[in-house]
Amino acid sequence: MKIELNSEDELDAYIICHKCHTLNREVLIENGSKALCCSQCGIVLYHHDNGFLDRGLALSISGLIFFIIANVFPLVQINILGSESFISILSMIDSLIASGYYLVGLFIIYLIFIFPLMIFLLYFFIFYLMKRGTREILVGNLLILLARIIPWHMSDIFLISILVAIVKLLGIADIHLGVSFWALIIFVLIDIYFTRNIHLRELWMLRKQVYQLSEEEAPHVLG
Amino acid sequence: MYSVESDELISCPVCEAVNIDKRQNNICRRCGSKIYHHRSTPTEKSWAYLLTAMIFYVPANLYPMMIIEQFGSESGSTILEGVIELWNHGDYPIALIILVASIFVPIAKFIMLAYLLISVRNPLNNNTKINKHKVYYFTELIGPWSMVDVFVVGILAGLVHLSSVKIVAGAASTAFALTVFFTLLAAHAFDTKLIRGSR
């Protein structure tokens, strides 16, 4: 198939599906709907959502709040034969490092603490700067950083691991779930919403749209 | 005025922008990242990571994953022993989760990545019955899930720290974490543009 272009920027109208690598052309769809790839792979290619920016900003702030709660309070508390102990995310890493497992401790601190925190901070700054319509180049750099970190965060997998660990302890200990556990569940749900509904490509397209608009508006403001 | 064949379009691995493949020194028009096109060593980097991961998988299965110290006596269990123990206890769903996450997922990833790496350098590449892009997508999707066991051991070691019972992480947890880390790197280093003839 031959494609005629006036400039390379017109390629923005095309999408290569990241699952089956077919080439698709973006068409205008209704607000609130989404476009799927071929019937075989059924992956969402893009959404049309007018409230994208505001919802993203609001959710990234709530994600950060729940992340802080999840890290400050105890996750799980157990009681075996009268002696009690509890863990929080940070105390767990601390005890791993204290018992000599530096490498595992280091991995875990990155995968479930530093990267998730960075991702939500990045989402927050990206949405905030685009909302204000300033710092186009910075937003681009933040988006590149975001793309590099996203494959490395594992909060959802950590949540499943907590459940597995709890089931393993069910027979031998009394278990109380802490505030952090519920906060972590909400954090992971927000995180899943983000990965399902906010594609990097859409953020780049939003960036293009936002800064083109503000460039066109600028003379009016001055004049 | 440009005129391009659709085969010549590639997507940037960082920002997913569609780019024209210029055969060498591809730089994404939107984010400026390099789109790799290693002419002489296209698969070597990914092979190196994959082999490292496979090597670490051996001690990960031989050494104990978790050591339980109870009233002075120590008992360690490897991944497979842990699964069998859970199964005998009647915790079937948990046994299955651990079995799939720590044994099936890494092995499936080894096989799929090795298949991809071999097939792109071979006449097998012209076989279009299997969509290799989908195989690659699948390896990326299941990859991180093998961390479950490492997290579980971390949680239990942090939690059960009492005078009567103590759980300590075993040597296998480090090896296993490294296996997962290197399989993820191997998948990232794989150049999807080597897959031909599927569009």
Side-chain angles (χ1 to χ4, degrees):
Chain A
M1 189 174 76
K2 273 243 184 277
I3 296 166
E4 303 285 329
L5 299 165
N6 288 320
S7 77
E8 260 189 77
D9 280 341
E10 282 181 22
L11 284 172
D12 277 343
Y14 291 88
I15 306 168
I16 290 174
C17 168
H18 66 278
K19 185 173 176 187
C20 66
H21 274 234
T22 44
L23 186 71
N24 298 276
R25 201 189 153 82
E26 189 171 343
V27 288
L28 198 65
I29 52 172
E30 240 176 90
N31 185 23
S33 59
K34 52 196 174 188
L36 299 177
C37 187
C38 55
S39 56
Q40 260 193 341
C41 79
I43 254 196
V44 179
L45 282 176
Y46 55 92
H47 308 83
H48 184 94
D49 185 355
N50 286 335
F52 180 42
L53 223 174
D54 295 318
R55 194 169 307 135
L57 187 58
L59 277 174
S60 59
I61 295 172
S62 26
L64 279 172
I65 293 170
F66 282 110
F67 184 78
I68 292 166
I69 297 173
N71 279 284
V72 169
F73 296 103
L75 266 175
V76 187
Q77 197 172 9
I78 59 161
N79 189 331
I80 303 177
L81 306 168
S83 40
E84 279 189 359
S85 78
F86 70 91
I87 53 160
S88 62
I89 293 175
L90 292 172
S91 79
M92 169 188 140
I93 295 158
D94 188 46
S95 84
L96 272 176
I97 290 174
S99 54
Y101 285 91
Y102 301 106
L103 209 62
V104 180
L106 200 70
F107 273 167
I108 294 185
I109 200 171
Y110 270 100
L111 296 178
I112 65 175
F113 182 74
I114 295 178
F115 287 156
L117 179 64
M118 274 179 82
I119 286 172
F120 271 79
L121 282 174
L122 282 170
Y123 273 134
F124 170 71
F125 281 115
I126 288 165
F127 282 120
Y128 176 70
L129 291 174
M130 286 205 285
K131 181 90 186 152
R132 288 193 44 191
T134 50
R135 312 294 293 274
E136 181 176 3
I137 295 162
L138 181 66
V139 170
N141 287 333
L142 293 178
L143 279 170
I144 294 170
L145 186 60
L146 184 65
R148 299 225 185 262
I149 307 175
I150 278 184
W152 293 98
H153 92 292
M154 301 189 178
S155 294
D156 43 352
I157 295 160
F158 181 62
L159 186 66
I160 300 291
S161 310
I162 295 174
L163 295 174
V164 172
I166 289 170
V167 174
K168 274 192 166 185
L169 288 174
L170 266 184
I172 53 167
D174 286 335
I175 297 159
H176 305 281
L177 298 174
V179 183
S180 278
F181 181 75
W182 306 109
L184 191 70
I185 287 185
I186 298 171
F187 175 76
V188 169
L189 286 178
I190 294 173
D191 183 59
I192 290 171
Y193 177 87
F194 266 62
T195 38
R196 287 188 68 88
N197 290 291
I198 297 177
H199 295 172
L200 280 170
R201 184 183 169 277
E202 287 167 355
L203 287 171
W204 282 98
M205 294 308 282
L206 185 68
R207 171 176 174 264
K208 187 180 167 189
Q209 197 186 325
V210 163
Y211 294 108
Q212 262 180 2
L213 271 179
S214 59
E215 264 169 36
E216 281 164 19
E217 271 172 21
H220 292 282
V221 177
L222 287 173
Chain B
M1 193 73 183
Y2 292 85
S3 176
V4 256
E5 277 300 321
S6 61
D7 294 354
E8 284 174 53
L9 295 177
I10 50 176
S11 69
C12 167
V14 175
C15 75
E16 293 169 23
V18 180
N19 281 273
I20 299 168
D21 189 357
K22 298 186 180 78
R23 291 288 147 207
Q24 51 183 329
N25 296 331
N26 279 318
I27 286 175
C28 174
R29 67 193 162 80
R30 182 156 71 189
C31 69
S33 321
K34 244 190 218 160
I35 306 176
Y36 35 12
H37 222 303
H38 313 288
R39 291 245 122 175
S40 51
T41 57
T43 55
E44 271 75 353
K45 202 169 158 195
S46 190
W47 266 123
Y49 288 136
L50 184 62
L51 289 176
T52 317
M54 284 174 170
I55 292 167
F56 278 119
Y57 193 59
V58 176
N61 276 290
L62 293 180
Y63 283 100
M65 190 78 182
M66 193 166 80
I67 300 161
I68 302 171
E69 292 173 12
Q70 204 168 10
F71 306 114
S73 67
E74 266 186 31
S75 68
S77 59
T78 61
I79 296 173
L80 207 59
E81 283 167 7
V83 172
I84 293 167
E85 207 172 293
L86 279 170
W87 187 266
N88 289 339
H89 259 267
D91 294 329
Y92 302 119
I94 299 299
L96 278 178
I97 290 178
I98 300 285
L99 184 70
V100 170
S102 347
I103 296 179
F104 289 164
V105 169
I107 292 178
K109 256 194 106 167
F110 292 156
I111 294 173
M112 287 194 287
L113 272 173
Y115 165 75
L116 284 173
L117 287 168
I118 293 168
S119 69
V120 293
R121 298 299 296 276
N122 257 312
L124 267 176
N125 205 8
N126 300 325
N127 175 8
T128 47
K129 272 187 205 138
I130 302 169
N131 187 336
K132 294 187 197 67
H133 285 297
K134 276 189 186 165
V135 175
Y136 180 73
Y137 176 81
F138 196 61
T139 58
E140 278 206 315
L141 196 72
I142 62 169
W145 284 96
S146 31
M147 273 308 266
V148 167
D149 217 14
V150 178
F151 285 147
V152 169
V153 171
I155 294 163
L156 290 177
L159 199 54
V160 186
H161 229 66
L162 311 163
S163 50
S164 50
V165 195
K166 211 181 221 177
I167 292 180
V168 190
S173 59
T174 306
F176 200 81
L178 283 168
T179 303
V180 180
F181 178 67
F182 281 107
T183 46
L184 285 174
L185 280 184
H188 281 287
F190 180 71
D191 186 352
T192 49
K193 278 170 292 301
L194 293 169
I195 302 171
R196 272 172 295 154
S198 50
R199 194 183 288 152

